């Protein structure tokens, strides 16, 4: 009799763990999609698609870790991460493009990268201006 109880409890526990696993996989899927979904990027910056994904992560967070940025770039290719320097190269090229607009992309050692509040304000203003110009063109 006792073995029947433990078997039932074990089956219930397994079913609970499988349900929890399914829910966690769904949450991961939603979070990964949120990281990969492109944020609006001011066209005047001339960013590549990869740089645009990094831009979206950096605009959405106070500070973005290496893992978050790599997930945005390579999350659709698990287990296929390129050389660790690739992220740094993307950020370097992006930094050069942002310098023309006086926007700083800052690296905080051991934490990650971020735009300064003033830089984010400048980027939002550029985006708002482009959106206003596009709306004006649609009404003409």
């Amino acid at each position: 009799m006792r073995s029947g109880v433990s078997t039932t409890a074990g089956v219930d526990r397994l079913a609970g763990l499988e349900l929890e696993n399914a829910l966690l996989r769904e949450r991961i899927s939603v979070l990964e999609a949120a990281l990969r979904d492109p944020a609006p990027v001011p066209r005047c910056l001339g960013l590549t698609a990869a740089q645009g994904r990094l831009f979206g992560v950096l605009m959405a967070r106070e500070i973005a870790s290496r893992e978050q940025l790599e997930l945005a770039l390579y999350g659709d290719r698990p287990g296929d991460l390129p050389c660790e320097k690739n992220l740094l190269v993307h950020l370097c090229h992006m930094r050069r493009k942002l310098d023309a607009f006086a926007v700083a992309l800052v690296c905080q050692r051991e934490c990650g990268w971020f735009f300064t509040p003033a830089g984010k304000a400048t980027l939002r203003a550029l985006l708002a201006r482009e959106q206003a110009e596009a709306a004006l063109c649609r009404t003409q």
Side-chain angles (χ1 to χ4, degrees):
M1 181 80 173
R2 189 163 175 93
S3 65
V5 172
S6 65
T7 302
T8 303
V11 169
D12 289 345
R13 187 168 192 286
L14 179 62
L17 289 172
E18 287 174 343
L19 176 62
E20 182 182 17
N21 193 359
L23 292 172
L24 290 171
R25 286 181 191 277
E26 179 60 28
R27 285 185 68 194
I28 288 169
S29 175
V30 168
L31 292 170
E32 285 178 342
L35 282 173
R36 284 192 307 269
D37 285 346
V41 178
R43 293 180 57 156
C44 62
L45 297 177
L47 300 181
T48 65
Q51 292 165 356
R53 289 192 296 273
L54 296 174
F55 176 88
V57 173
L58 290 161
M59 287 297 285
R61 288 170 177 67
E62 232 177 270
I63 190 161
S65 70
R66 172 182 284 279
E67 292 79 22
Q68 291 168 330
L69 294 172
E70 285 178 343
L71 181 60
L73 285 177
Y74 310 113
D76 56 345
R77 299 184 284 173
D80 186 27
L81 284 178
C83 172
E84 66 181 61
K85 299 258 184 202
N86 280 15
L87 174 62
L88 299 177
V89 170
H90 282 296
L91 291 170
C92 179
H93 291 165
M94 191 174 166
R95 190 175 274 136
R96 283 187 201 151
K97 293 175 182 180
L98 293 168
D99 282 348
F101 296 89
V103 174
L105 175 55
V106 181
C107 176
Q108 185 172 344
R109 196 175 282 279
E110 303 299 322
C111 290
W113 290 264
F114 63 94
F115 291 131
T116 62
K120 279 189 178 183
T122 299
L123 293 167
R124 287 189 186 106
L126 289 171
L127 185 59
R129 187 180 74 204
E130 285 184 3
Q131 290 172 339
E133 289 171 358
L136 182 62
C137 288
R138 283 193 298 266
T139 60
Q140 293 180 349

